[in-house]
Amino acid sequence: MTKPLLVLLAWMVGIGAWAQNDPASLSVGYFAPYGIQLGGKLGASFQVGQWPQENEATAERIHKLKIQPQVGYFTYPQVQHNFVLNCEAVYLRTRPGRRFTPLASVGLGYWMARQRQGGSVNLGSGEITYDVENLHYITPTLNIGFEIAPKKVIGYYLKGFAGRKIGLGEPSAGLFGLEAGLTFQLTKKDDTNDTGRVH
Amino acid sequence: MTREEFIKKSLAMGIGLPFLTSIIAACEKEVIEFPEFSTSFSGKVLVIGAGASGLAAGYLLSRYNVDFEIIEASPVYGGRVKRASNFVDFPIDLGAEWIHATPAVLSEILNNPELDASIDFITYNPQTLKGYRDGRLQPHNYASNFYSEIKFKSTTWFGFFEQYIVPHFEDKIIYNQPVATIDYSGSKVAVTTIDDTVYEADKVIVTAPIKILQSDTISFVPALPAAKTEAINSISMGDGLKVFIEFKEKFYPDLMVLGGLIEGLANDNEIFYDAAFRKDSNRHVLGLFTINEPASKYTTLDSDQAIVDAVMEVLDDIFEGKASENYLQHVVQNWSKEPYIQGSYSYTFDNGQEETVNTLNEAVNNKLYFAGEALSLENQATVHGACESGYAAVGRAIGQ
């Protein structure tokens, strides 16, 4: 188990190293594919771009682009255990001083499902032995939601996603669900970020 | 709320909760209650019907060394548990097929920790699902993430009873004895069959299907209390049909529902499914399972051939003639035409399930008891529910 964890960490750190590291955040979320499957996601967020837009109205808007590598797990009770690697390119549009920010993102993920195909039940004890098979999927998604930026350290996010679960040797299927969680600011917030100045 | 009502209400809410019923059931530690009691009963018990409930009753009675007989109307045991052994290279359930609970329920039914045997099962989680509506096949593969149940892999429900239940009392089943009258007016109960054979016992457990009880095929002397009759008549049990067709190739999805997936399920529309799904077989067998009104258009046809012709017409329409091109053989089980069944299974309860079931579960004169799939509050319309009800009836009849 240690080796896969190291690979995952290296993957996330690698993306972080490629991206600008200010401001970086971590996210921990409840992850519910199809609305009813239960799981969680751990992610990091690295801003890779920011640019201002003079609005015709009074306020100045800021556009941000972030990269979010994520790892996750969810279960389809009694049927599957799923392990998730995902990366999203997130676009946010906000205004200086505002914490509420609508977001949209595109994601590409890899899911490995440990699927119960059957098994045997001992008729005396009721003990069940399951036959499990690994199934593999690629999951492009579109995500729409919002985030509430951290006031100091902790922020929130909620997003819905829709896309496709493309089976590698397995049937493909539509994909949708919800994700909600907390974000934790890792670095001290740089006030200049909210002024719309481009880094 | 019945299982079906729960499913319908969940569907009406537009969510996938109907499929959570099996998940919830699977999470329960114990699905059915196997009664354990002390008894000083030394009389005789007659069980009417050798379906799942009657066989379970016999199994429990034999465990308590009670003198009993099972009176079965047809030439075989099983009732709505029935098997086609030689249709293809795996046995097919012509009646009850799915295990609507954790597979451990099989162990719970047997309640025999000494038993050293196991049964293979499959996780029935169809991967390709389609609805057929407005002349179009619509993919709904996402639904595989909501629906999963358990099925036998290399045996059937009939095989389960045949191997683990019936051998305990096989010589106590009397076949071809349709019951005409149950007279419980005297100190003993007299059961008279249509050939005027009379069986006497101290207690009688009636496990005949609801349709049979509603049809007055069996006369009770004296007549059953009005509350019982009303309860019996308040349970609906519609038509039921299963058809299996073997094809040269698989041109159909794992699961297909006519009228759209969600809407079709809500309206009990015809369900076509790959009966060979995850079986150890290279044969291609498509099953049709339909109950209630959608089944009636088939079950009322004159012959099995007329039924399969109608089914093939539907399939050819959907799959542009591929059904006829690939047809090999078929088997039809018209449950509505089975003289001692006359339908599928209990469905709705006009006066509320709990009240109805409690009314029917009350003994009549401490001599007459009812059991069957309809009378399991928690597991209605399932085989393990039928067993649970049979066990409970025995407990009420001879327990202290």
Side-chain angles (χ1 to χ4, degrees):
Chain A
M1 196 62 197
T2 313
K3 194 174 176 183
L5 274 176
L6 287 173
V7 171
L8 289 177
L9 285 171
W11 177 63
M12 293 174 73
V13 170
I15 287 178
W18 166 74
Q20 284 186 239
N21 60 0
D22 184 18
S25 63
L26 282 180
S27 63
V28 179
Y30 172 75
F31 179 49
Y34 301 103
I36 61 166
Q37 298 183 1
L38 313 170
K41 253 188 186 178
L42 177 65
S45 184
F46 307 100
Q47 187 170 304
V48 294
Q50 176 173 303
W51 61 97
Q53 174 194 328
E54 293 296 332
N55 193 290
E56 288 180 358
T58 54
E60 192 178 51
R61 283 187 176 155
I62 305 165
H63 303 264
K64 295 179 180 177
L65 187 63
K66 293 181 177 179
I67 293 292
Q68 290 185 343
Q70 302 157 337
V71 294
Y73 164 84
F74 67 92
T75 180
Y76 176 178
Q78 310 296 324
V79 182
Q80 282 179 345
H81 294 284
N82 293 268
F83 301 92
V84 175
L85 276 179
N86 194 59
C87 192
E88 288 178 26
V90 186
Y91 165 74
L92 303 104
R93 189 177 69 170
T94 186
R95 287 176 176 165
R98 273 210 175 172
R99 294 180 64 206
F100 178 88
T101 308
L103 67 84
S105 70
V106 291
L108 185 65
Y110 161 73
W111 291 9
M112 186 187 80
R114 298 268 297 154
Q115 161 102 21
R116 287 180 181 173
Q117 305 283 22
S120 69
V121 57
N122 184 295
L123 295 176
S125 65
E127 189 179 330
I128 301 168
T129 308
Y130 289 101
D131 302 328
V132 177
E133 191 175 315
N134 291 339
L135 309 179
H136 307 276
Y137 300 94
I138 298 294
T139 56
T141 53
L142 283 173
N143 308 263
I144 292 176
F146 63 86
E147 71 171 35
I148 296 174
K151 205 168 189 178
K152 290 183 178 173
V153 178
I154 299 177
Y156 313 91
Y157 72 94
L158 172 69
K159 60 187 174 187
F161 58 89
R164 193 90 187 134
K165 193 168 121 177
I166 301 170
L168 305 177
E170 299 295 325
S172 299
L175 170 65
F176 53 88
L178 287 171
E179 192 181 335
L182 304 174
T183 55
F184 300 91
Q185 190 94 22
L186 288 182
T187 54
K188 191 181 176 185
K189 204 170 181 183
D190 183 349
D191 288 337
T192 59
N193 283 346
D194 282 346
T195 65
R197 304 283 180 265
V198 181
H199 284 269
Chain B
M1 187 187 295
T2 67
R3 184 169 166 269
E4 278 69 24
E5 284 169 341
F6 176 71
I7 289 171
K8 286 206 162 192
K9 284 177 182 172
S10 300
L11 283 166
M13 290 164 69
I15 55 179
L17 282 177
F19 305 123
L20 278 180
T21 51
S22 48
I23 294 171
I24 291 164
C27 292
E28 292 169 359
K29 194 171 182 184
E30 281 192 354
V31 180
I32 66 165
E33 190 177 338
F34 191 94
E36 290 183 8
F37 50 83
S38 59
T39 181
S40 57
F41 181 78
S42 58
K44 180 173 181 178
V45 175
L46 275 180
V47 178
I48 310 300
S53 192
L55 294 174
Y59 180 69
L60 188 55
L61 287 165
S62 66
R63 295 257 293 235
Y64 281 88
N65 294 315
V66 171
D67 180 19
F68 76 97
E69 284 180 311
I70 300 178
I71 310 295
E72 169 55 37
S74 74
V76 291
Y77 62 79
R80 283 163 281 179
V81 169
K82 191 174 180 183
R83 172 183 64 192
S85 297
N86 302 314
F87 181 63
V88 284
D89 57 354
F90 59 92
I92 282 180
D93 284 295
L94 293 173
E97 184 169 356
W98 284 264
I99 302 169
H100 295 292
T102 166
V105 76
L106 301 174
S107 166
E108 292 177 28
I109 290 171
L110 298 175
N111 190 252
N112 181 7
E114 308 296 316
L115 183 61
D116 183 20
S118 61
I119 278 186
D120 290 342
F121 63 85
I122 60 170
T123 301
Y124 182 75
N125 172 223
Q127 299 293 297
T128 53
L129 302 95
K130 289 187 177 175
Y132 183 73
R133 186 164 56 183
D134 302 330
R136 283 183 57 227
L137 267 178
Q138 300 162 324
H140 292 277
N141 289 357
Y142 64 86
S144 71
N145 294 280
F146 297 91
Y147 174 53
S148 178
E149 294 205 73
I150 302 294
K151 280 174 69 171
F152 291 99
K153 184 171 187 179
S154 49
T155 185
T156 57
W157 269 116
F158 186 92
F160 173 74
F161 279 89
E162 178 185 49
Q163 193 166 3
Y164 299 106
I165 300 269
V166 174
H168 293 273
F169 53 84
E170 195 160 9
D171 58 336
K172 292 187 182 291
I173 306 174
I174 305 170
Y175 298 101
N176 300 307
Q177 293 286 282
V179 171
T181 306
I182 298 175
D183 183 344
Y184 62 100
S185 60
S187 58
K188 298 251 183 191
V189 185
V191 173
T192 307
T193 60
I194 58 169
D195 64 1
D196 289 332
T197 306
V198 180
Y199 299 88
E200 279 197 342
D202 299 282
K203 312 262 187 182
V204 169
I205 298 172
V206 180
T207 70
I210 287 297
K211 273 276 189 183
I212 299 301
L213 296 176
Q214 290 171 343
S215 69
D216 293 331
T217 305
I218 302 173
S219 299
F220 291 90
V221 180
L224 289 174
K228 281 268 197 266
T229 308
E230 189 183 338
I232 288 168
N233 290 329
S234 72
I235 303 173
S236 75
M237 174 172 157
D239 283 319
L241 174 77
K242 288 184 87 174
V243 178
F244 294 91
I245 307 175
E246 186 185 11
F247 294 104
K248 292 175 208 161
E249 290 180 8
K250 186 184 174 189
F251 54 85
Y252 42 83
D254 294 341
L255 185 76
M256 177 178 73
V257 182
L258 301 193
L261 190 70
I262 302 299
E263 192 182 331
L265 287 172
N267 295 322
D268 303 321
N269 287 357
E270 297 101 304
I271 298 173
F272 290 89
Y273 61 100
D274 178 5
F277 182 82
R278 288 188 184 152
K279 302 272 188 182
D280 279 338
S281 173
N282 293 320
R283 310 283 281 270
H284 306 297
V285 182
L286 181 66
L288 164 63
F289 166 63
T290 179
I291 59 166
N292 297 339
E293 278 186 35
S296 303
K297 64 174 176 280
Y298 300 109
T299 58
T300 50
L301 294 173
D302 291 336
S303 65
D304 286 357
Q305 188 58 52
I307 290 173
V308 83
D309 287 346
V311 174
M312 287 292 289
E313 194 178 328
V314 169
L315 291 173
D316 274 336
D317 188 35
I318 297 171
F319 295 104
E320 299 171 340
K322 285 183 183 165
S324 289
E325 285 170 23
N326 288 283
Y327 171 85
L328 288 174
Q329 59 169 335
H330 71 268
V331 57
V332 173
Q333 178 61 52
N334 185 348
W335 287 105
S336 300
K337 290 278 173 71
E338 286 288 333
Y340 308 115
I341 305 286
Q342 298 184 11
S344 53
Y345 47 80
S346 64
Y347 201 69
T348 55
F349 296 76
D350 291 344
N351 300 331
Q353 184 187 18
E354 189 165 353
E355 186 183 334
T356 302
V357 168
N358 288 340
T359 299
L360 285 173
N361 279 340
E362 284 174 17
V364 182
N365 289 5
N366 285 323
K367 285 183 273 189
L368 200 55
Y369 303 82
F370 289 90
E373 51 81 13
L375 303 189
S376 168
L377 268 179
E378 301 296 326
N379 300 293
Q380 177 225 344
T382 66
V383 177
H384 62 271
C387 294
E388 181 181 44
S389 173
Y391 291 152
V394 169
R396 289 194 296 274
I398 67 167
Q400 286 181 327

